[in-house]
Amino acid sequence: MSAQHGYSSYSSNTARYASAGVQVAMLLALASRHMEAARDAIKAGEIENRFLATEKCAVIISGLRGCLNRETPEAAKMANTLDAYYSRMLSFLLQINIKNDLPLCEAMIESLRTMSSTWRDIQARADVEARSTPTEQAKTSDDSAGSGNISA
């Protein structure tokens, strides 16, 4: 087995078994890499390569947008915020392709990187909360409840 094949297999399994937040972060990081390719194509004057890279990014963003959870009022509120973000990103892709807009492309790269990092942070916090023991959770709820029980 070649080193590249081994890495590819590892990478594929990492994505498959990652939590939802990490999967979203990985997809956003991949979208930013496609935008880096688009940026490089703009600099090189390669219109077709810029278009192909932005289309790959659009597929990822559209997929994320299509998977938004709107089942509860809280989830719907977050989904609406993310929907607006994804909609803006798709609009920016169109502008980048029409105007060959390098500054907008670079702004998208930074935005996608930031959003990816944010998703990783959110998932890390959720993982810490999920790992807290039932005893710690019970103690926290007892402390916050202020039960006032006094033992004799």
Side-chain angles (χ1 to χ4, degrees):
M1 172 176 13
S2 72
Q4 182 61 31
H5 178 71
Y7 174 77
S8 178
S9 179
Y10 170 78
S11 180
S12 174
N13 285 328
T14 299
R16 182 178 301 136
Y17 297 109
S19 60
V22 170
Q23 287 179 345
V24 171
M26 292 171 79
L27 286 167
L28 289 165
L30 180 59
S32 74
R33 287 194 297 276
H34 288 307
M35 292 310 298
E36 290 168 2
R39 176 197 59 209
D40 295 344
I42 289 171
K43 289 179 178 179
E46 299 170 349
I47 295 170
E48 184 176 355
N49 288 337
R50 181 215 56 219
F51 177 77
L52 293 173
T54 58
E55 283 301 298
K56 289 175 184 177
C57 181
V59 167
I60 293 169
I61 292 172
S62 295
L64 289 169
R65 190 177 186 198
C67 291
L68 293 173
N69 176 0
R70 301 174 194 275
E71 293 177 7
T72 65
E74 185 177 282
K77 183 178 178 184
M78 180 58 68
N80 289 339
T81 300
L82 289 169
D83 185 64
Y85 173 77
Y86 295 143
S87 178
R88 279 193 315 276
M89 293 293 108
L90 291 169
S91 173
F92 293 159
L93 288 170
L94 184 61
Q95 290 178 37
I96 289 166
N97 279 325
I98 291 171
K99 299 178 182 177
N100 216 29
D101 194 329
L102 182 60
L104 183 56
C105 185
E106 290 176 339
M108 269 195 74
I109 293 167
E110 187 58 35
S111 179
L112 290 165
R113 285 179 182 162
T114 300
M115 186 63 87
S116 175
S117 177
T118 300
W119 273 101
R120 284 189 188 278
D121 292 346
I122 289 168
Q123 187 62 57
R125 279 183 269 156
D127 290 347
V128 167
E129 288 178 20
R131 282 192 298 262
S132 67
T133 64
T135 306
E136 289 173 351
Q137 291 174 347
K139 184 179 186 296
T140 303
S141 66
D142 286 347
D143 291 346
S144 64
S147 61
N149 292 341
I150 302 173
S151 303

